[in-house]
Amino acid sequence: MLAKDIKRGHIVNFNGAPCMIETINVQSPSARGASTFYKYKTRNLITKQKVDITLRGGEMLPEADFQKHPVKFMYADPTEVHLLDEANYEQYSLPREDLAEELNYLTEKLEGVQALIYNDDCVGVQLPVAVELKVVQCDPGIKGASATARTKPATLETGLVVQVPEYLSEGEQIKVDTRNGEYLSRA
């Protein structure tokens, strides 16, 4: 896969291990004839270490060879998160600290969660781009507030706090972007 085609969330093979792209920084050339540099901050899915990768525009990284299985979130205990493979009913347990960010979006009713299987081991999960979550605590809605007005913090059912428009109130379902944790719309 060419450096310019790699996007956030892609999983590439770097130094023999699968790495998930977390952030991308494109550095344009300042001189004529110079190359564009792509700087990636990745997470090694096996060792969970952060890895920095820098490529020129024409360089390539192979895609990681792994499988995706649809899973359902079962429950989380103080040390692990437990998932159920919907195809063969196999259970996967991952350390809670490895899924700290994903836990902000996981609920038992969430559809579209994929387990990333590498060498018959579950090394992580991939969430859908947007999830629906219920607002459990926020300031009361202001009558007459427009959709483009100010925002207020709202606590969602998973404990995640997002900025929402002032007209929203407790009990409403909203859509949240799992890539950046921002409010998208009412559900």
Side-chain angles (χ1 to χ4, degrees):
M1 181 182 308
L2 280 174
K4 65 180 183 175
D5 296 331
I6 298 173
K7 305 285 183 232
R8 188 177 187 277
H10 281 171
I11 300 173
V12 296
N13 194 0
F14 184 72
N15 290 340
C19 294
M20 181 179 281
I21 306 294
E22 292 183 341
T23 62
I24 302 170
N25 184 11
V26 180
Q27 193 172 17
S28 298
S30 58
R32 192 181 306 187
S35 297
T36 301
F37 283 100
Y38 294 86
K39 295 184 178 186
Y40 306 100
K41 291 200 182 288
T42 67
R43 182 172 33 108
N44 184 318
L45 293 176
I46 297 184
T47 64
K48 307 302 180 207
Q49 293 178 330
K50 300 282 184 184
V51 179
D52 291 335
I53 303 170
T54 302
L55 299 174
R56 287 192 170 97
E59 293 180 329
M60 297 180 72
L61 275 178
E63 285 192 73
D65 183 27
F66 66 94
Q67 298 173 338
K68 290 183 180 179
H69 291 221
V71 292
K72 197 136 194 98
F73 171 69
M74 292 178 10
Y75 65 95
D77 60 31
T79 58
E80 292 187 323
V81 175
H82 302 277
L83 306 163
L84 178 67
D85 190 323
E86 293 179 326
N88 60 13
Y89 300 106
E90 187 175 338
Q91 290 187 20
Y92 303 115
S93 297
L94 293 166
R96 191 179 182 102
E97 60 269 5
D98 292 351
L99 295 180
E101 189 174 314
E102 289 87 348
L103 275 173
N104 288 324
Y105 308 103
L106 282 174
T107 60
E108 291 179 12
K109 64 181 187 268
L110 182 61
E111 302 274 329
V113 180
Q114 302 278 326
L116 305 175
I117 309 297
Y118 185 77
N119 291 340
D120 296 328
D121 289 329
C122 183
V123 294
V125 296
Q126 191 169 36
L127 297 172
V129 174
V131 295
E132 291 184 14
L133 296 170
K134 184 178 180 180
V135 176
V136 294
Q137 193 280 320
C138 72
D139 294 335
I142 298 173
K143 190 170 186 161
S146 69
T148 58
R150 297 181 304 253
T151 61
K152 62 183 179 182
T155 304
L156 306 179
E157 61 187 299
T158 60
L160 179 67
V161 177
V162 297
Q163 292 293 321
V164 299
E166 283 187 330
Y167 61 83
L168 285 177
S169 57
E170 289 182 20
E172 291 195 55
Q173 289 280 111
I174 63 169
K175 286 188 179 180
V176 179
D177 190 329
T178 59
R179 297 169 295 186
N180 55 21
E182 293 180 358
Y183 167 83
L184 293 173
S185 67
R186 281 183 168 156

